[in-house]
Amino acid sequence: MQLPESFFKQRRLETLVENQTSYTLENAALHVFETHKQAEHVLLQFDNPVLASMLKGKKIMHLKDHRSFDFLPGESLILPSDELMCIDFPEARENSPTRCLAMAISDDLIKEVITFMNDKMPKCDQREWSFLDYNFHFTNDIGIHQILQRLLFLFTEAHPSKDYFVNNMLKELIIRIMQTNSNKIYTEKTMDSSKDGRLSYIIEYIRKNLEKSISVMELSKKAYMSESNFHRVFKNELGMSPVDFINNERIKLASSLLQDPNLKIKEVFMRCGFENRSYFNRLFKRIKNVSPREYQKKIFK
């Protein structure tokens, strides 16, 4: 993400560690923090839930659950109200500062969006959406990246209607983050389908049958739902269609299989449920930004 020219014209450098430039609107405040020298154990805390997103450089985050991790550009972190962050800046330099945005969002707006999602975008099995009450660290997808880039521009722009513009962008951002979190839970955790309901069962079924032809009609029948309702509920909760989810899982499996030097590409795409190589190549490149052959070369060079 790039900071707009207006930011550099307006901001003042008053300290070399976590120099703060802030913009406050009706339902959110955006802060850009810049650090120009190495530092350790810098403390930071906000009254409202915060989205932190790295723009440049590297931080090491230490959170109250004793978890520490590298925080890098292209990544974001959701923190609940009053969460105390302890931050190290191992690589910050005067000519190469670390930059991070932190956006505090009002509880009222979050509650409004959650109410909307429960009303218009219900989860499967009557479970309700609720805001994240723990630290959620994730890589920005293209949708979230573009919203954050737009918000950087809107907050720094001198426009009479920017409160309205920002509120609309924040609502979309909250929905996308909630869906990203739901997707990550379903994707990364091994689930007991007897405990976690129909959608968990369907996702486990997809994973175990990637080599087979899987249709949305078949999945909807297994979920005891109409095809249209299944498609809607799946997309509402995971932020992508069932077909896109199946394709992502197949490419994830293909990425793993391509690391086996004894497997040919034909064997890989067939074991992942693809019927022809050209479609497999196109989809792999769209998701991984390289062809299967190029991916394999990088692994074995």
Side-chain angles (χ1 to χ4, degrees), residues 78-80 130-134 136 177-178 181:
I78 304 295
L79 295 158
S130 60
F131 196 65
L132 320 173
D133 58 357
Y134 58 96
F136 175 39
I177 288 171
M178 299 289 288
N181 179 60

Side-chain angles (χ1 to χ4, degrees), residues 15 71 123 139-140 167-168 172 175 242 281 283:
T15 177
F71 195 23
K123 284 187 173 186
T139 300
N140 302 330
N167 281 348
N168 286 334
E172 182 181 350
I175 291 172
N281 285 346
L283 191 63

Side-chain angles (χ1 to χ4, degrees), residues 283-297:
L283 191 63
F284 193 99
K285 190 166 187 176
R286 191 180 79 197
I287 293 174
K288 292 292 187 179
N289 295 316
V290 293
S291 71
R293 180 66 68 194
E294 290 166 337
Y295 181 86
Q296 229 177 13
K297 285 180 180 178

